[in-house]
mmCIF file of all heavy atoms in Angstrom:
data_model
loop_
_atom_site.group_PDB
_atom_site.id
_atom_site.type_symbol
_atom_site.label_atom_id
_atom_site.label_comp_id
_atom_site.label_asym_id
_atom_site.label_seq_id
_atom_site.Cartn_x
_atom_site.Cartn_y
_atom_site.Cartn_z
ATOM 1 N N ALA A 1 0.839 -1.205 0.000
ATOM 2 C CA ALA A 1 0.000 0.000 0.000
ATOM 3 C C ALA A 1 0.871 1.251 0.000
ATOM 4 O O ALA A 1 2.009 1.234 0.490
ATOM 5 C CB ALA A 1 -0.913 0.001 1.224
ATOM 6 N N ASP A 2 0.334 2.331 -0.531
ATOM 7 C CA ASP A 2 1.051 3.608 -0.546
ATOM 8 C C ASP A 2 1.513 4.003 0.853
ATOM 9 O O ASP A 2 2.615 4.509 1.033
ATOM 10 C CB ASP A 2 0.164 4.722 -1.116
ATOM 11 C CG ASP A 2 -0.017 4.628 -2.619
ATOM 12 O OD1 ASP A 2 0.778 3.927 -3.284
ATOM 13 O OD2 ASP A 2 -0.952 5.264 -3.132
ATOM 14 N N GLU A 3 0.655 3.758 1.838
ATOM 15 C CA GLU A 3 0.982 4.125 3.212
ATOM 16 C C GLU A 3 2.184 3.339 3.740
ATOM 17 O O GLU A 3 2.951 3.836 4.560
ATOM 18 C CB GLU A 3 -0.229 3.918 4.135
ATOM 19 C CG GLU A 3 -1.385 4.851 3.850
ATOM 20 C CD GLU A 3 -2.236 4.421 2.641
ATOM 21 O OE1 GLU A 3 -2.099 3.267 2.160
ATOM 22 O OE2 GLU A 3 -3.014 5.258 2.166
ATOM 23 N N GLN A 4 2.338 2.108 3.280
ATOM 24 C CA GLN A 4 3.481 1.305 3.709
ATOM 25 C C GLN A 4 4.776 1.876 3.152
ATOM 26 O O GLN A 4 5.783 1.969 3.862
ATOM 27 C CB GLN A 4 3.315 -0.148 3.271
ATOM 28 C CG GLN A 4 2.225 -0.885 4.011
ATOM 29 C CD GLN A 4 2.010 -2.271 3.430
ATOM 30 O OE1 GLN A 4 1.399 -2.418 2.376
ATOM 31 N NE2 GLN A 4 2.521 -3.267 4.131
ATOM 32 N N LEU A 5 4.763 2.258 1.882
ATOM 33 C CA LEU A 5 5.944 2.867 1.287
ATOM 34 C C LEU A 5 6.258 4.184 1.990
ATOM 35 O O LEU A 5 7.421 4.450 2.327
ATOM 36 C CB LEU A 5 5.751 3.088 -0.215
ATOM 37 C CG LEU A 5 6.861 3.838 -0.944
ATOM 38 C CD1 LEU A 5 8.231 3.177 -0.744
ATOM 39 C CD2 LEU A 5 6.527 3.961 -2.427
ATOM 40 N N ASP A 6 5.242 4.990 2.241
ATOM 41 C CA ASP A 6 5.463 6.266 2.927
ATOM 42 C C ASP A 6 6.027 6.055 4.331
ATOM 43 O O ASP A 6 6.916 6.794 4.771
ATOM 44 C CB ASP A 6 4.168 7.074 2.989
ATOM 45 C CG ASP A 6 3.735 7.599 1.625
ATOM 46 O OD1 ASP A 6 4.541 7.519 0.664
ATOM 47 O OD2 ASP A 6 2.600 8.077 1.522
ATOM 48 N N ALA A 7 5.513 5.054 5.034
ATOM 49 C CA ALA A 7 6.021 4.771 6.381
ATOM 50 C C ALA A 7 7.485 4.341 6.326
ATOM 51 O O ALA A 7 8.296 4.755 7.173
ATOM 52 C CB ALA A 7 5.172 3.690 7.050
ATOM 53 N N ALA A 8 7.845 3.538 5.334
ATOM 54 C CA ALA A 8 9.241 3.116 5.189
ATOM 55 C C ALA A 8 10.135 4.319 4.893
ATOM 56 O O ALA A 8 11.220 4.454 5.466
ATOM 57 C CB ALA A 8 9.373 2.064 4.087
ATOM 58 N N LEU A 9 9.679 5.199 4.016
ATOM 59 C CA LEU A 9 10.467 6.390 3.688
ATOM 60 C C LEU A 9 10.608 7.306 4.904
ATOM 61 O O LEU A 9 11.685 7.869 5.141
ATOM 62 C CB LEU A 9 9.834 7.153 2.521
ATOM 63 C CG LEU A 9 9.938 6.462 1.165
ATOM 64 C CD1 LEU A 9 9.051 7.175 0.134
ATOM 65 C CD2 LEU A 9 11.382 6.406 0.696
ATOM 66 N N ALA A 10 9.547 7.442 5.689
ATOM 67 C CA ALA A 10 9.618 8.271 6.900
ATOM 68 C C ALA A 10 10.600 7.674 7.894
ATOM 69 O O ALA A 10 11.425 8.390 8.479
ATOM 70 C CB ALA A 10 8.230 8.402 7.523
ATOM 71 N N ALA A 11 10.529 6.370 8.089
ATOM 72 C CA ALA A 11 11.444 5.710 9.023
ATOM 73 C C ALA A 11 12.888 5.822 8.553
ATOM 74 O O ALA A 11 13.792 6.117 9.353
ATOM 75 C CB ALA A 11 11.053 4.243 9.188
ATOM 76 N N LEU A 12 13.110 5.607 7.270
ATOM 77 C CA LEU A 12 14.476 5.700 6.736
ATOM 78 C C LEU A 12 15.020 7.110 6.841
ATOM 79 O O LEU A 12 16.176 7.303 7.232
ATOM 80 C CB LEU A 12 14.512 5.228 5.278
ATOM 81 C CG LEU A 12 14.426 3.728 5.077
ATOM 82 C CD1 LEU A 12 14.193 3.398 3.605
ATOM 83 C CD2 LEU A 12 15.700 3.052 5.581
ATOM 84 N N SER A 13 14.208 8.092 6.499
ATOM 85 C CA SER A 13 14.711 9.470 6.566
ATOM 86 C C SER A 13 15.042 9.839 8.010
ATOM 87 O O SER A 13 16.081 10.453 8.278
ATOM 88 C CB SER A 13 13.728 10.462 5.942
ATOM 89 O OG SER A 13 12.508 10.497 6.640
ATOM 90 N N GLY A 14 14.204 9.447 8.944
ATOM 91 C CA GLY A 14 14.490 9.721 10.348
ATOM 92 C C GLY A 14 15.748 9.022 10.823
ATOM 93 O O GLY A 14 16.591 9.619 11.507
ATOM 94 N N PHE A 15 15.895 7.750 10.455
ATOM 95 C CA PHE A 15 17.079 6.992 10.849
ATOM 96 C C PHE A 15 18.348 7.624 10.277
ATOM 97 O O PHE A 15 19.321 7.848 10.994
ATOM 98 C CB PHE A 15 16.967 5.537 10.386
ATOM 99 C CG PHE A 15 18.248 4.774 10.509
ATOM 100 C CD1 PHE A 15 18.706 4.332 11.746
ATOM 101 C CD2 PHE A 15 19.024 4.515 9.388
ATOM 102 C CE1 PHE A 15 19.910 3.640 11.859
ATOM 103 C CE2 PHE A 15 20.221 3.823 9.494
ATOM 104 C CZ PHE A 15 20.667 3.384 10.741
ATOM 105 N N PHE A 16 18.335 7.898 8.984
ATOM 106 C CA PHE A 16 19.537 8.426 8.343
ATOM 107 C C PHE A 16 19.877 9.834 8.815
ATOM 108 O O PHE A 16 21.051 10.150 9.027
ATOM 109 C CB PHE A 16 19.410 8.390 6.820
ATOM 110 C CG PHE A 16 19.621 7.031 6.217
ATOM 111 C CD1 PHE A 16 18.680 6.474 5.375
ATOM 112 C CD2 PHE A 16 20.768 6.306 6.474
ATOM 113 C CE1 PHE A 16 18.876 5.229 4.798
ATOM 114 C CE2 PHE A 16 20.990 5.065 5.916
ATOM 115 C CZ PHE A 16 20.028 4.528 5.069
ATOM 116 N N LEU A 17 18.877 10.693 8.974
ATOM 117 C CA LEU A 17 19.167 12.053 9.429
ATOM 118 C C LEU A 17 19.660 12.056 10.865
ATOM 119 O O LEU A 17 20.578 12.806 11.215
ATOM 120 C CB LEU A 17 17.947 12.948 9.258
ATOM 121 C CG LEU A 17 17.593 13.275 7.800
ATOM 122 C CD1 LEU A 17 16.243 13.974 7.714
ATOM 123 C CD2 LEU A 17 18.686 14.094 7.143
ATOM 124 N N SER A 18 19.076 11.213 11.691
ATOM 125 C CA SER A 18 19.546 11.105 13.071
ATOM 126 C C SER A 18 20.968 10.548 13.121
ATOM 127 O O SER A 18 21.827 11.062 13.841
ATOM 128 C CB SER A 18 18.590 10.201 13.857
ATOM 129 O OG SER A 18 19.061 10.000 15.161
ATOM 130 N N SER A 19 21.227 9.508 12.349
ATOM 131 C CA SER A 19 22.565 8.908 12.319
ATOM 132 C C SER A 19 23.591 9.877 11.749
ATOM 133 O O SER A 19 24.722 9.958 12.230
ATOM 134 C CB SER A 19 22.552 7.630 11.474
ATOM 135 O OG SER A 19 21.702 6.666 12.055
ATOM 136 N N GLY A 20 23.194 10.612 10.722
ATOM 137 C CA GLY A 20 24.105 11.572 10.112
ATOM 138 C C GLY A 20 24.496 12.701 11.038
ATOM 139 O O GLY A 20 25.537 13.336 10.865
ATOM 140 N N GLY A 21 23.681 12.969 12.047
ATOM 141 C CA GLY A 21 23.976 14.022 13.008
ATOM 142 C C GLY A 21 24.851 13.570 14.166
ATOM 143 O O GLY A 21 25.175 14.376 15.035
ATOM 144 N N GLN A 22 25.233 12.314 14.176
ATOM 145 C CA GLN A 22 26.091 11.787 15.238
ATOM 146 C C GLN A 22 27.533 12.268 15.042
ATOM 147 O O GLN A 22 27.909 12.700 13.955
ATOM 148 C CB GLN A 22 26.053 10.260 15.238
ATOM 149 C CG GLN A 22 24.681 9.682 15.549
ATOM 150 C CD GLN A 22 24.214 10.053 16.937
ATOM 151 O OE1 GLN A 22 24.929 9.901 17.914
ATOM 152 N NE2 GLN A 22 22.977 10.560 17.016
ATOM 153 N N PRO A 23 28.356 12.170 16.060
ATOM 154 C CA PRO A 23 29.768 12.541 15.912
ATOM 155 C C PRO A 23 30.442 11.728 14.800
ATOM 156 O O PRO A 23 30.005 10.624 14.476
ATOM 157 C CB PRO A 23 30.383 12.197 17.279
ATOM 158 C CG PRO A 23 29.239 12.232 18.224
ATOM 159 C CD PRO A 23 28.037 11.774 17.441
ATOM 160 N N ALA A 24 31.476 12.297 14.252
ATOM 161 C CA ALA A 24 32.209 11.633 13.169
ATOM 162 C C ALA A 24 32.640 10.231 13.600
ATOM 163 O O ALA A 24 32.977 9.998 14.757
ATOM 164 C CB ALA A 24 33.432 12.454 12.777
ATOM 165 N N ALA A 25 32.624 9.319 12.652
ATOM 166 C CA ALA A 25 33.023 7.933 12.905
ATOM 167 C C ALA A 25 34.461 7.756 12.440
ATOM 168 O O ALA A 25 34.749 7.916 11.258
ATOM 169 C CB ALA A 25 32.100 6.981 12.150
ATOM 170 N N ASP A 26 35.350 7.421 13.350
ATOM 171 C CA ASP A 26 36.761 7.305 12.979
ATOM 172 C C ASP A 26 37.038 6.134 12.039
ATOM 173 O O ASP A 26 38.042 6.101 11.354
ATOM 174 C CB ASP A 26 37.658 7.229 14.223
ATOM 175 C CG ASP A 26 37.324 6.066 15.132
ATOM 176 O OD1 ASP A 26 36.370 5.317 14.841
ATOM 177 O OD2 ASP A 26 38.032 5.920 16.152
ATOM 178 N N TRP A 27 36.138 5.167 11.980
ATOM 179 C CA TRP A 27 36.332 4.018 11.092
ATOM 180 C C TRP A 27 35.853 4.293 9.667
ATOM 181 O O TRP A 27 36.140 3.526 8.764
ATOM 182 C CB TRP A 27 35.621 2.779 11.654
ATOM 183 C CG TRP A 27 34.129 2.935 11.723
ATOM 184 C CD1 TRP A 27 33.232 2.611 10.745
ATOM 185 C CD2 TRP A 27 33.369 3.466 12.794
ATOM 186 N NE1 TRP A 27 31.959 2.913 11.145
ATOM 187 C CE2 TRP A 27 32.007 3.440 12.414
ATOM 188 C CE3 TRP A 27 33.687 3.970 14.048
ATOM 189 C CZ2 TRP A 27 30.992 3.889 13.234
ATOM 190 C CZ3 TRP A 27 32.655 4.410 14.862
ATOM 191 C CH2 TRP A 27 31.339 4.368 14.459
ATOM 192 N N SER A 28 35.129 5.401 9.474
ATOM 193 C CA SER A 28 34.630 5.738 8.147
ATOM 194 C C SER A 28 34.410 7.247 8.080
ATOM 195 O O SER A 28 33.360 7.749 8.483
ATOM 196 C CB SER A 28 33.317 4.991 7.874
ATOM 197 O OG SER A 28 32.839 5.283 6.589
ATOM 198 N N PRO A 29 35.372 7.987 7.577
ATOM 199 C CA PRO A 29 35.298 9.445 7.635
ATOM 200 C C PRO A 29 34.147 10.075 6.847
ATOM 201 O O PRO A 29 33.767 11.210 7.117
ATOM 202 C CB PRO A 29 36.648 9.895 7.082
ATOM 203 C CG PRO A 29 37.149 8.748 6.282
ATOM 204 C CD PRO A 29 36.594 7.514 6.922
ATOM 205 N N HIS A 30 33.569 9.359 5.908
ATOM 206 C CA HIS A 30 32.491 9.925 5.090
ATOM 207 C C HIS A 30 31.120 9.359 5.446
ATOM 208 O O HIS A 30 30.131 9.682 4.789
ATOM 209 C CB HIS A 30 32.788 9.713 3.608
ATOM 210 C CG HIS A 30 34.097 10.283 3.190
ATOM 211 N ND1 HIS A 30 34.322 11.639 3.111
ATOM 212 C CD2 HIS A 30 35.265 9.684 2.882
ATOM 213 C CE1 HIS A 30 35.577 11.854 2.746
ATOM 214 N NE2 HIS A 30 36.175 10.683 2.608
ATOM 215 N N LEU A 31 31.068 8.517 6.479
ATOM 216 C CA LEU A 31 29.819 7.846 6.845
ATOM 217 C C LEU A 31 28.716 8.845 7.182
ATOM 218 O O LEU A 31 27.592 8.724 6.681
ATOM 219 C CB LEU A 31 30.047 6.901 8.031
ATOM 220 C CG LEU A 31 28.807 6.194 8.552
ATOM 221 C CD1 LEU A 31 28.226 5.275 7.484
ATOM 222 C CD2 LEU A 31 29.143 5.415 9.816
ATOM 223 N N ARG A 32 28.991 9.825 8.027
ATOM 224 C CA ARG A 32 27.942 10.763 8.456
ATOM 225 C C ARG A 32 27.433 11.599 7.291
ATOM 226 O O ARG A 32 26.234 11.878 7.186
ATOM 227 C CB ARG A 32 28.446 11.658 9.590
ATOM 228 C CG ARG A 32 28.896 10.903 10.813
ATOM 229 C CD ARG A 32 27.841 9.970 11.380
ATOM 230 N NE ARG A 32 28.335 9.318 12.585
ATOM 231 C CZ ARG A 32 27.987 8.117 12.975
ATOM 232 N NH1 ARG A 32 27.109 7.422 12.276
ATOM 233 N NH2 ARG A 32 28.480 7.596 14.070
ATOM 234 N N GLN A 33 28.319 11.982 6.381
ATOM 235 C CA GLN A 33 27.906 12.724 5.193
ATOM 236 C C GLN A 33 26.982 11.853 4.334
ATOM 237 O O GLN A 33 25.956 12.326 3.831
ATOM 238 C CB GLN A 33 29.136 13.157 4.392
ATOM 239 C CG GLN A 33 28.812 13.898 3.126
ATOM 240 C CD GLN A 33 30.076 14.235 2.329
ATOM 241 O OE1 GLN A 33 31.194 13.910 2.724
ATOM 242 N NE2 GLN A 33 29.884 14.875 1.202
ATOM 243 N N HIS A 34 27.341 10.593 4.180
ATOM 244 C CA HIS A 34 26.523 9.673 3.384
ATOM 245 C C HIS A 34 25.158 9.447 4.048
ATOM 246 O O HIS A 34 24.120 9.450 3.365
ATOM 247 C CB HIS A 34 27.254 8.335 3.204
ATOM 248 C CG HIS A 34 26.446 7.319 2.465
ATOM 249 N ND1 HIS A 34 26.159 7.422 1.129
ATOM 250 C CD2 HIS A 34 25.842 6.186 2.901
ATOM 251 C CE1 HIS A 34 25.418 6.385 0.762
ATOM 252 N NE2 HIS A 34 25.217 5.626 1.822
#
């Protein structure tokens, strides 16, 4: 359903934006930017 796709996109955007705002990762210097 459309709502399922939208829920997945909302969850992914929240996860990635939250993760991207974390301190830099010394094991992967470009991880937060990605």
Side-chain angles (χ1 to χ4, degrees):
D2 286 343
E3 293 79 13
Q4 290 174 283
L5 175 55
D6 290 349
L9 289 169
L12 285 169
S13 63
F15 168 76
F16 282 126
L17 290 171
S18 176
S19 297
Q22 296 297 310
D26 58 358
W27 64 90
S28 181
H30 304 290
L31 177 63
R32 301 305 182 211
Q33 178 183 0
H34 177 70

